[in-house]
């Protein structure tokens, strides 16, 4: 199943925690109360497009180029998937610097990042997307357009997302992979920024006069 998903969405499942979570507690910013779900399943996904695939990306001006060429200038995304057992719905959010992980015993808390200084505005909420309900199962077509980072602005606002693990061992494994994915994201972002600057400098460099 995971191989089919990777082939259709270019996203691979890098961690799949089944029966390792006691409960997940969500607090929507627009609501006073919170919601608790039991027996949740966690997955961490990462985008890894095949090198020989062709894409058409009009927005970035890259049409009919290979994924390998596009990957040099486009930041690959990672995201969290939480499936709520028996409820027919799931929650997903992208791993970004706007989300900070805090741990307390067996509890892992996803909260808005508080940036120091005034250069970057701190987010007030955690952006996440939910699909499905108690009476309607959530999902998306693997062979159709997937949930993309460009849609994040329309995601719901959460004050926090608390994940209660059954033991600290799997909490630590989850947090370790999350941190590794974020470290890779920051390195890729710096590399892409440097490559774009180099390309712009080459493009706009004045012609030598003999």
């Amino acid at each position: 199943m995971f191989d089919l998903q990777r082939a259709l969405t270019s996203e691979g499942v890098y961690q799949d925690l089944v029966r390792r979570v006691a409960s997940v507690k969500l607090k929507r910013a627009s609501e006073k109360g919170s919601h608790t779900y039991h027996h949740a399943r966690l997955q961490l996904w990462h985008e890894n497009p095949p090198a020989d695939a062709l894409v058409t990306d009009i927005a970035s001006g890259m049409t009919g180029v290979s994924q390998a060429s596009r990957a040099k200038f486009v930041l690959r995304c990672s995201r969290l998937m939480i499936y709520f057992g028996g409820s027919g719905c799931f929650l997903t959010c992208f791993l970004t610097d706007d989300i900070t992980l805090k741990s307390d015993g067996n509890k892992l808390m996803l909260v808005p990042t508080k940036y120091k200084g005034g250069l970057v505005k701190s987010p007030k909420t955690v952006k996440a997307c939910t699909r499905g309900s108690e009476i309607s199962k959530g999902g998306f077509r693997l062979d159709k357009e997937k949930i993309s980072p460009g849609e994040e602005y329309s995601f719901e606002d959460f004050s926090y997302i608390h994940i209660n693990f059954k033991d600290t061992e799997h909490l630590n494994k989850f947090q370790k992979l999350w941190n590794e994915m974020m470290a890779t994201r920051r390195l890729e972002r710096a590399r892409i920024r440097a490559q774009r600057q180099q390309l712009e400098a080459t493009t706009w460099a004045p012609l030598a006069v003999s």
Side-chain angles (χ1 to χ4, degrees), residues 127 149-157:
K127 285 287 190 179
E151 301 176 66
E152 194 174 22
Y153 72 94
S154 64
F155 285 4
E156 293 181 79
D157 293 303

Side-chain angles (χ1 to χ4, degrees), residues 116-134:
K116 296 181 179 179
L119 295 178
V120 180
K121 185 178 180 181
S122 298
K124 295 182 179 180
T125 60
V126 172
K127 285 287 190 179
C129 172
T130 57
R131 292 281 180 90
S133 64
E134 295 289 343

Side-chain angles (χ1 to χ4, degrees), residues 41-56:
R41 178 176 184 172
L42 301 186
Q43 290 182 348
L44 285 174
W45 294 11
H46 183 66
E47 188 178 22
N48 190 20
D52 58 348
L54 291 179
V55 297
T56 298

Side-chain angles (χ1 to χ4, degrees), residues 172-202:
N172 292 335
K173 287 182 178 180
F174 177 87
Q175 190 170 13
K176 181 175 183 292
L177 182 56
W178 177 293
N179 291 336
E180 288 174 353
M181 286 181 163
M182 283 302 305
T184 299
R185 176 182 175 84
R186 295 183 186 109
L187 288 174
E188 283 192 354
R189 187 168 54 204
R191 175 186 58 78
I192 291 172
R193 184 184 300 115
Q195 287 183 329
R196 285 184 179 275
Q197 291 174 347
Q198 183 179 8
L199 180 62
E200 290 173 0
T202 303

Side-chain angles (χ1 to χ4, degrees), residues 61-76:
M62 305 181 74
T63 304
V65 298
S66 70
Q67 287 280 19
S69 298
R70 181 178 182 272
K72 294 179 181 179
F73 298 97
V74 178
L75 187 62
R76 293 180 296 175

Side-chain angles (χ1 to χ4, degrees), residues 86-105:
S87 68
C89 63
F90 69 83
L91 175 146
T92 185
C93 67
F94 291 101
L95 276 63
T96 71
D97 285 313
D98 285 344
I99 299 177
T100 293
L101 295 187
K102 294 183 178 181
S103 59
D104 181 13

